[in-house]
Amino acid sequence: MLNAIKDVVRKSSIHVCIVNCGGCNGCDVECVALLSPRYDLEQYGIYVHNNPREADVLLLTGAVTEQWVDNLKRVYDKAPEPKIAVAVGNCPQSGDVFAQEGGHVHAPASDFIPVAAAIPGCPPRPSEILEAILAVGPQAIADRGREMK
Amino acid sequence: MIVPIGPIHPALKEPIRLKLHTEGERVVKAEIEYGYVHRGIEKIIEGQTWQKGIYLSERVCGICSYEHTQTFAETIEQISDVDVPVRAQFLRVITNELDRIQSHFLANSTFFKSMDHETLFMHVLELREYAMDSIELLTGNRVNMGWNVVGGVRMDADERHFKPILENLDKIEESFDRVRALFAEGPALALRCKGIGVMSKKEAIKGRAVGPIGRASGVKEDYRIGHYTYDDYFDFKVIRRNEGDNYARTLTRFDEIPESISLVRQAIENIPKGEVRTPANLKSGYAMRRNEAPRGEVTYMIETNGNLIKNISIRTPSIGNMDSCAKYMIRDVPTVADAVSTYASCDPCVACAERVAITNEHGKTAIKGFDEVI
């Protein structure tokens, strides 16, 4: 009973934290564009406040640079359960153009933390990011919540 | 007491660590710790062809991605003595100015967000979407456009593109004055902006502040003056202010937007007919070019070996702006909240700034700030 109520409540209030772990910030500006009145993230009950300690969804962007190798796990651990990580753009999945000789990146991000969903694109359109969060967010958070029991 | 802010923090959109030295509520000194997004982009470009290099240079920074490709292309063109067709030069100006409009809107909206003024944040982001629409219409992409090639631009545009762009600009102009007045004349905002984070002209020059941040303190450099296209065909006014505080920096960016809109209109009105791309016969050599990105001057130094890039060095505006922000602007602000908004007002772009890694004699790699490199 309590779990069912929790699932319903979580579906309509997702807190998001954007974690830029070393990208060109193209994906980040598309996430900021999501806040604009045209896409209006908050009408779906999603709230972006960039604080990992309150987040349900961590939006990962960027190709995991040297400094983030240890810190990514630390930031992930700070978020309260149940939580999921969504990789935005090509960088957290493959390193994109930076994963070649001379580059200082340690992609993919799934080597360090569990990634629930990935949105390809360089960068993906805001509508695609929104669609992905809405499609996988509520269910994945609920699943994760049951897993933790 | 030292108050650390970042690398993940509600007020920052990119990872960086601000260390604020405080005495009570007053911030006396600030330090910036870089290094969270260093990807080694220059090292990757070495030994590649320009086609790969221009793709990578676009990904130095996502917000001002356009100007990086233009400067890269112009540097290679200078080495190879390629004359870009006039129609392509005009198309470059249109895209460049649309990019400037969206970047300035984004910078100002982030500043309002850092001051917790949601209304203006929303208004400004709404206007920005019209500029993004125009960019997408012309180039096919919203952020990384892939519009420039050596010898011109990727494809031609015609009336079907220009008409909706002009309509979008009309929509921006319709609400622009109201939004600007909300900021410039609103009593609550002006009280929190005026006289906060003051940087004098002397300090701006010493800290190498460039672009709208430098011009808000009275520095007169704008590298669009001296660029061959702007000098020959276009007419515009360089916006300058003398106060050097948060209010002046935000208003400088606001006032540059009508100038950019007028430049796009001039370009669409007078665009000549002709080719948009010439075949480039690549030569070996060295060249340096600087251009005005939305945040200030971008410099590219490229040495080529005919087909391949032997050496490349990129200097972006953000590192000078962020360094002068930490040294001069945050030096004596009354509260920690004001320090955060002052940092947002200098339009920081961390992805731009972090490309220099220095290896010392013990083989240890460290990422250095601007002062240690120069």
Side-chain angles (χ1 to χ4, degrees):
Chain A
M1 177 66 191
L2 190 64
N3 279 339
I5 295 173
K6 271 187 183 168
D7 285 355
V8 171
V9 173
R10 276 182 191 134
K11 250 176 209 168
S12 54
S13 87
I14 303 175
H15 284 220
V16 169
C17 170
I18 302 169
V19 181
N20 180 338
C21 42
C24 72
N25 78 31
C27 298
D28 302 57
V29 289
E30 291 296 66
C31 293
V32 172
L34 274 179
L35 301 174
S36 70
R38 177 172 299 179
Y39 300 101
D40 195 12
L41 206 57
E42 290 180 16
Q43 68 177 309
Y44 303 104
I46 303 172
Y47 183 56
V48 179
H49 48 43
N50 271 12
N51 188 350
R53 285 184 197 280
E54 292 175 53
D56 301 313
V57 176
L58 295 176
L59 283 184
L60 298 180
T61 64
V64 194
T65 51
E66 200 81 42
Q67 298 255 10
W68 281 102
V69 170
D70 304 326
N71 290 345
L72 191 54
K73 185 84 177 72
R74 279 175 56 201
V75 168
Y76 185 75
D77 287 342
K78 276 178 189 167
E81 294 286 353
K83 62 197 165 188
I84 56 165
V86 176
V88 179
N90 292 342
C91 286
Q93 296 168 46
S94 64
D96 204 3
V97 277
F98 307 120
Q100 48 181 305
E101 203 190 329
H104 280 228
V105 297
H106 301 267
S110 53
D111 287 358
F112 304 99
I113 58 174
V115 175
I119 312 160
C122 189
R125 298 169 56 80
S127 46
E128 288 169 0
I129 302 175
L130 185 56
E131 209 183 325
I133 301 176
L134 288 175
V136 301
Q139 196 55 45
I141 294 171
D143 287 351
R144 174 100 182 162
R146 283 190 210 102
E147 249 172 55
M148 297 306 293
K149 292 270 148 49
Chain B
M1 197 180 116
I2 296 177
V3 181
I5 294 178
I8 302 289
H9 186 268
L12 311 175
K13 64 178 189 293
E14 289 177 82
I16 197 157
R17 174 159 283 178
L18 276 174
K19 281 185 193 159
L20 304 176
H21 297 244
T22 56
E23 274 174 14
E25 182 77 346
R26 179 170 288 274
V27 179
V28 285
K29 202 180 139 194
E31 287 172 40
I32 291 187
E33 210 178 279
Y34 301 95
Y36 289 92
V37 286
H38 173 80
R39 290 145 289 160
I41 222 163
E42 288 166 5
K43 190 70 191 161
I44 305 175
I45 296 179
E46 273 177 23
Q48 311 265 27
T49 54
W50 71 259
Q51 285 90 342
K52 285 188 177 172
I54 206 164
Y55 187 86
L56 275 154
S57 78
E58 190 153 39
R59 278 146 186 84
V60 169
C61 165
I63 309 174
C64 39
S65 58
Y66 179 78
E67 196 61 44
H68 282 276
T69 57
Q70 182 178 345
T71 318
F72 187 98
E74 281 177 0
T75 316
I76 301 272
E77 281 152 14
Q78 195 177 321
I79 294 172
S80 312
D81 298 324
V82 178
D83 284 327
V84 184
V86 183
R87 190 177 172 85
Q89 290 181 30
F90 272 62
L91 285 172
R92 278 180 180 179
V93 167
I94 294 173
T95 333
N96 188 7
E97 295 307 322
L98 286 173
D99 196 43
R100 193 181 312 279
I101 293 170
Q102 67 90 2
S103 173
H104 282 356
F105 273 139
L106 182 74
N108 281 354
S109 71
T110 332
F111 175 64
F112 297 137
K113 177 88 176 163
S114 76
M115 300 222 310
D116 289 332
H117 200 293
E118 285 274 336
T119 317
L120 263 177
F121 170 70
M122 286 293 182
H123 278 315
V124 174
L125 268 190
E126 188 184 1
L127 292 182
R128 175 176 178 262
E129 282 301 311
Y130 293 117
M132 297 302 277
D133 281 351
S134 311
I135 291 171
E136 188 179 8
L137 196 86
L138 189 64
T139 67
N141 285 324
R142 279 168 61 93
V143 175
N144 292 329
M145 304 169 215
W147 184 239
N148 282 307
V149 289
V150 171
V153 295
R154 185 158 45 83
M155 58 187 189
D156 203 356
D158 57 30
E159 215 40 50
R160 284 172 306 161
H161 302 100
F162 296 146
K163 204 164 155 271
I165 290 177
L166 289 175
E167 283 168 11
N168 280 336
L169 293 181
D170 284 341
K171 280 178 195 155
I172 294 177
E173 274 183 332
E174 225 170 72
S175 334
F176 179 81
D177 286 340
R178 187 173 55 87
V179 171
R180 184 187 176 279
L182 261 176
F183 168 71
E185 291 151 27
L189 274 174
L191 270 179
R192 268 200 67 186
C193 299
K194 279 183 185 163
I196 304 289
V198 182
M199 178 171 67
S200 67
K201 185 180 177 182
K202 222 174 172 181
E203 287 166 343
I205 291 168
K206 209 173 157 198
R208 295 96 167 179
V210 284
I213 292 94
R215 287 199 286 279
S217 296
V219 179
K220 62 173 182 287
E221 260 74 25
D222 184 331
Y223 283 92
R224 280 179 289 177
I225 291 172
H227 187 280
Y228 47 80
T229 318
Y230 286 95
D231 273 2
D232 293 353
Y233 305 103
F234 292 96
D235 226 8
F236 69 100
K237 201 167 90 220
V238 177
I239 307 290
R240 274 174 72 194
R241 297 183 78 86
N242 294 318
E243 301 99 311
D245 52 2
N246 288 356
Y247 182 80
R249 281 188 283 279
T250 311
L251 219 50
T252 309
R253 282 195 290 270
F254 262 135
D255 290 343
E256 281 187 9
I257 290 166
E259 291 299 320
S260 293
I261 291 176
S262 120
L263 277 168
V264 177
R265 283 190 199 286
Q266 285 175 44
I268 290 178
E269 215 169 277
N270 306 323
I271 192 163
K273 288 202 162 37
E275 289 287 307
V276 292
R277 189 176 176 179
T278 49
N281 209 352
L282 295 179
K283 293 176 188 162
S284 62
Y286 166 85
M288 184 189 101
R289 265 203 82 77
R290 49 178 113 185
N291 267 337
E292 183 80 10
R295 283 168 182 70
E297 124 195 31
V298 164
T299 314
Y300 268 66
M301 284 161 274
I302 302 181
E303 195 180 352
T304 63
N305 161 22
N307 208 13
L308 300 177
I309 294 160
K310 264 169 80 179
N311 203 347
I312 180 166
S313 178
I314 308 169
R315 184 193 185 282
T316 56
S318 291
I319 190 101
N321 289 343
M322 278 155 60
D323 238 43
S324 53
C325 171
K327 268 190 198 136
Y328 305 115
M329 293 178 205
I330 309 187
R331 194 181 38 194
D332 203 21
V333 294
T335 64
V336 173
D338 280 336
V340 173
S341 69
T342 305
Y343 172 72
S345 84
C346 88
D347 200 358
C349 173
V350 184
C352 269
E354 290 175 0
R355 282 161 302 86
V356 182
I358 290 171
T359 309
N360 67 10
E361 63 267 37
H362 307 299
K364 260 197 164 178
T365 307
I367 292 148
K368 298 281 179 174
F370 186 72
D371 256 14
E372 295 160 270
V373 182
I374 283 290

